[in-house]
Amino acid sequence: MADNMHYDAIVVGSGISGGWAAKELTERGLKVLMLERGRNIEHLTDYVNADKEAWDYPHRGSPTTEMKRKHPVLQRDYPLNEPTNGMWADEQDNPYVEHKRFDWFRGYHVGGRSLLWGRQSYRWSDTDFEANAKEGVAVDWPIRYADIAPWYDHVERFAGISGARNGLDILPDGEFLPPIPLNIVEKDVAARLQKAFGGKRHLINARVANITEPKPEQNRLNCQYRNKCWLGCPYGAYFSTQSATLPVAVATGNLTLRPFSIVRQVMYDRDRKRATGVEVIDAETGQTYEYTADVIFLNASTFNSTWVLMNSATDVWEGGLGSSSGELGHNVMDHHFRVGAEGRVEGYDDKYYFGRRPAGFYIPRFRNVEGAPRDYLRGFGYQGSASRQGWKREIAELNIGKDLKEALSKPGDWRIGMTGFGEMLPDHANRIALDGTVTDKWGLPVLAISVELGENEKKMRVDMQQDAVEMFEAAGLVDVKPTESDYAPGMGIHEMGTARMGRDPATSVLNQHNQVWDAPNVYVTDGSCMTSSSCVNPSLTYMALTARAAAHAVESLKSGDL
């Protein structure tokens, strides 16, 4: 335990946004305490499965019956497997209540889901920041692209985003390292789509936080095309708290990291209208501590940061700190996906590729950007890839034996597939709240979640499938089939909203600098701050907002505003 109980700043959470908060605040000279509710994971030494192959696991990577019993929510999708077992929150210790199905996949350890994320990294556009105001949806964002563009530059240069400059207004270019190349089939399909749709639809290199050139100043080597990112990278090739932001924060000498620290509440001085610190439960001993600070950054992930606010200052506001607008806990969003198309590509049987890329292609949003408006608002993009089938493919014509073995030692057909990622509108009815009947291992109230897709999203999903089929057929693919599999909110692992930014304290929780209206020395810069969801992956925007807010906090401390 840290001896000092007072710090210039406290950062709650150590995931993508928490790591950025710690880096920026310590580099600017503040003494910072970072609190993480789970265990520590040391860079390199604690990546215990990073070099294992499927045959190194007792069940070849598949989840066991016991794992499914312990993780009834996690087993609904791919995150439950032997390689990442133990990297997700223990559902027995950390339950939640589903009033409507919501698949909440949590990473309770140092680094959080920065060790487990998909690394897709895209900027928002002017269209995204302006949409709410133009369409009369929810409330207006208090910022525009111009406000955050320099901070996108800042975080991209440090994190290392590989991508190509495509010159598209709907998907602004950034400060990129060379892209992870498209394979030959993807390149040719991209050209066919350009021709078939008159240059209105674009298949481009995915933009990902995997570095393609070394960053020796960060002790990070370029991607080795192992595609084992979710196991922790021994080369530091993908951006995570452990590989990038945490080492910088530690090197300043200004950071104290305290794992196994569950923040129960932000302490609040009702006379000064300022937060004074946080109350912490030691997750191992159950003992309670109080730490004080001049500024607090909540980066515990969307729902957990909101949970902390709901538990804070309840003697002043029944709904907790930041609840005076009536919006705290509301407007939950995710990206809906798992609907698209697949097909077979002929004419490339003499072509193959090198390595296992950690990324494929991306098709940026085109609906409600070009052409006639649809019967729904906003739009979607696609993520996908082309590859040759491997030994796992089914061959109905062959039985076991020599012929089968020889056939399966050769690559199969080229196939290509993609799934749409659609924007979900903010809706006051989609919410989280404290449940009064269930508690966790530490006797703390848990969250009850009530979220569902609206009619807008359901209409959009029709186009997400039909457009995918149309594009693949236009590109000359054969055996094109629409695809759709089970989806429930949360499965995108992009939960957002619940403490939105806005222009008016009567309708929002945070101001234009991510400060809680009711306590300006509390900043919230994880996914809970989002006012809308766009259709692109949100983590790059969390990074930029966090760096921007940290600079504002330090300047405000210097000026005496906080």
Side-chain angles (χ1 to χ4, degrees):
M1 187 189 74
D3 293 327
N4 182 26
M5 307 301 280
H6 180 79
Y7 295 83
D8 297 323
I10 293 173
V11 176
V12 180
S14 62
I16 282 179
S17 63
W20 268 101
K23 171 190 175 293
E24 295 294 309
L25 294 170
T26 55
E27 282 190 311
R28 294 172 185 271
L30 270 58
K31 296 293 184 181
V32 176
L33 173 65
M34 176 187 274
L35 299 168
E36 167 56 51
R37 67 178 294 146
R39 65 187 175 102
N40 191 17
I41 293 180
E42 293 285 351
H43 186 44
L44 305 181
T45 57
D46 285 343
Y47 301 156
V48 294
N49 291 332
D51 292 318
K52 290 183 179 179
E53 299 294 344
W55 53 82
D56 293 317
Y57 301 98
H59 302 91
R60 303 298 184 261
S62 298
T64 65
T65 300
E66 179 64 10
M67 288 166 61
K68 292 178 181 179
R69 184 190 69 79
K70 289 184 176 180
H71 298 279
V73 174
L74 202 62
Q75 64 95 21
R76 296 172 184 171
D77 203 1
Y78 73 92
L80 188 63
N81 53 64
E82 282 187 296
T84 60
N85 190 30
M87 291 288 285
W88 299 94
D90 187 319
E91 294 176 36
Q92 310 304 310
D93 293 346
N94 304 278
Y96 67 100
V97 176
E98 294 176 276
H99 288 169
K100 295 176 182 175
R101 179 182 166 184
F102 192 96
D103 296 2
W104 189 16
F105 302 153
R106 299 160 285 172
Y108 289 170
H109 49 257
V110 172
R113 289 180 300 191
S114 78
L115 289 173
L116 298 159
W117 68 309
R119 306 167 311 285
Q120 300 273 327
S121 301
Y122 304 98
R123 294 187 179 204
W124 281 35
S125 68
D126 274 324
T127 298
D128 295 313
F129 286 107
E130 295 171 356
N132 277 6
K134 288 185 175 180
E135 296 166 354
V137 172
V139 298
D140 185 17
W141 275 89
I143 60 172
R144 291 293 186 261
Y145 177 72
D147 297 307
I148 196 173
W151 298 101
Y152 277 135
D153 292 346
H154 177 70
V155 299
E156 286 168 343
R157 292 188 191 108
F158 178 83
I161 308 300
S162 61
R165 299 180 70 85
N166 304 108
L168 305 175
D169 291 339
I170 196 65
L171 196 72
D173 292 328
E175 298 293 319
F176 297 141
L177 296 172
I180 293 176
L182 300 174
N183 61 41
I184 187 169
V185 167
E186 293 164 351
K187 289 179 181 177
D188 287 356
V189 170
R192 296 178 193 178
L193 288 180
Q194 281 278 305
K195 182 177 181 181
F197 293 95
K200 300 296 185 181
R201 300 187 189 181
H202 309 268
L203 188 155
I204 66 174
N205 307 74
R207 299 173 181 177
V208 290
N210 292 72
I211 59 175
T212 52
E213 293 178 346
K215 281 185 168 289
E217 73 282 5
Q218 296 181 22
N219 294 315
R220 297 172 63 193
L221 295 177
N222 52 289
C223 182
Q224 303 296 301
Y225 283 23
R226 299 171 356 121
N227 197 25
K228 295 176 179 286
C229 309
W230 59 92
L231 304 179
C233 183
Y235 305 92
Y238 77 88
F239 173 86
S240 69
T241 296
Q242 274 85 340
S243 69
T245 49
L246 184 57
V248 172
V250 169
T252 65
N254 291 330
L255 182 72
T256 299
L257 171 63
R258 192 185 196 281
F260 295 113
S261 300
I262 302 172
V263 174
R264 178 156 59 185
Q265 66 171 318
V266 173
M267 298 182 295
Y268 181 76
D269 185 330
R270 63 190 306 164
D271 295 323
R272 295 181 54 240
K273 297 183 179 180
R274 296 289 188 274
T276 59
V278 298
E279 182 182 82
V280 170
I281 297 175
D282 187 295
E284 295 180 299
T285 68
Q287 191 169 347
T288 300
Y289 301 93
E290 291 184 355
Y291 295 95
T292 60
D294 300 318
V295 65
I296 296 167
F297 270 68
L298 290 182
N299 301 99
S301 80
T302 295
F303 290 174
N304 285 319
S305 288
T306 299
W307 180 93
V308 172
L309 290 172
M310 288 176 170
N311 277 286
S312 305
T314 53
D315 59 328
V316 182
W317 299 278
E318 182 180 358
L321 181 61
S323 66
S324 59
S325 65
E327 295 298 331
L328 185 66
H330 294 271
N331 310 295
V332 175
M333 297 168 285
D334 184 31
H335 287 135
H336 59 101
F337 69 128
R338 291 192 148 209
V339 59
E342 63 181 12
R344 185 164 57 86
V345 190
E346 295 180 319
Y348 298 87
D349 288 349
D350 61 337
K351 305 296 182 184
Y352 206 70
Y353 41 80
F354 172 79
R356 293 176 286 187
R357 300 174 305 166
F361 64 78
Y362 186 70
I363 297 179
R365 173 184 164 187
F366 51 85
R367 285 300 182 195
N368 292 324
V369 176
E370 299 284 350
R374 310 300 289 176
D375 62 346
Y376 54 84
L377 300 175
R378 316 294 166 91
F380 49 87
Y382 292 98
Q383 296 177 25
S385 65
S387 61
R388 298 198 72 167
Q389 290 184 299
W391 65 270
K392 291 183 179 180
R393 68 190 185 275
E394 296 179 354
I395 302 182
E397 295 80 9
L398 296 176
N399 205 329
I400 62 173
K402 179 175 178 289
D403 290 342
L404 174 63
K405 292 178 180 178
E406 288 183 354
L408 295 188
S409 69
K410 302 174 182 178
D413 291 337
W414 275 95
R415 301 196 67 84
I416 189 169
M418 63 185 181
T419 181
F421 281 76
E423 179 164 357
M424 185 173 177
L425 294 180
D427 183 340
H428 186 81
N430 286 331
R431 64 172 302 196
I432 60 174
L434 297 181
D435 182 84
T437 62
V438 180
T439 57
D440 65 14
K441 177 182 177 180
W442 299 273
L444 299 170
V446 305
L447 287 173
I449 304 176
S450 180
V451 179
E452 62 184 352
L453 292 185
E455 290 303 312
N456 195 76
E457 290 78 43
K458 292 174 183 177
K459 291 178 180 179
M460 186 187 297
R461 291 177 72 79
V462 175
D463 268 6
M464 288 164 68
Q465 185 175 82
Q466 292 180 351
D467 288 355
V469 169
E470 177 190 38
M471 285 188 283
F472 278 171
E473 289 179 341
L477 275 64
V478 296
D479 298 332
V480 175
K481 299 176 182 178
T483 59
E484 184 168 9
S485 55
D486 177 51
Y487 169 77
M491 293 182 82
I493 322 184
H494 293 166
E495 65 269 17
M496 291 174 269
T498 69
R500 69 186 181 194
M501 298 171 68
R503 298 178 182 273
D504 185 345
T507 57
S508 58
V509 180
L510 310 173
N511 69 10
Q512 72 272 28
H513 297 295
N514 294 82
Q515 297 165 282
V516 175
W517 289 106
D518 300 324
N521 64 334
V522 177
Y523 290 77
V524 186
T525 65
D526 57 20
S528 52
C529 77
M530 303 295 274
T531 310
S532 61
S533 66
S534 180
C535 67
V536 301
N537 300 55
S539 294
L540 186 70
T541 299
Y542 303 166
M543 298 186 209
L545 287 172
T546 302
R548 178 176 178 267
H552 181 269
V554 173
E555 290 303 312
S556 297
L557 284 172
K558 289 179 179 178
S559 67
D561 290 342
L562 296 183

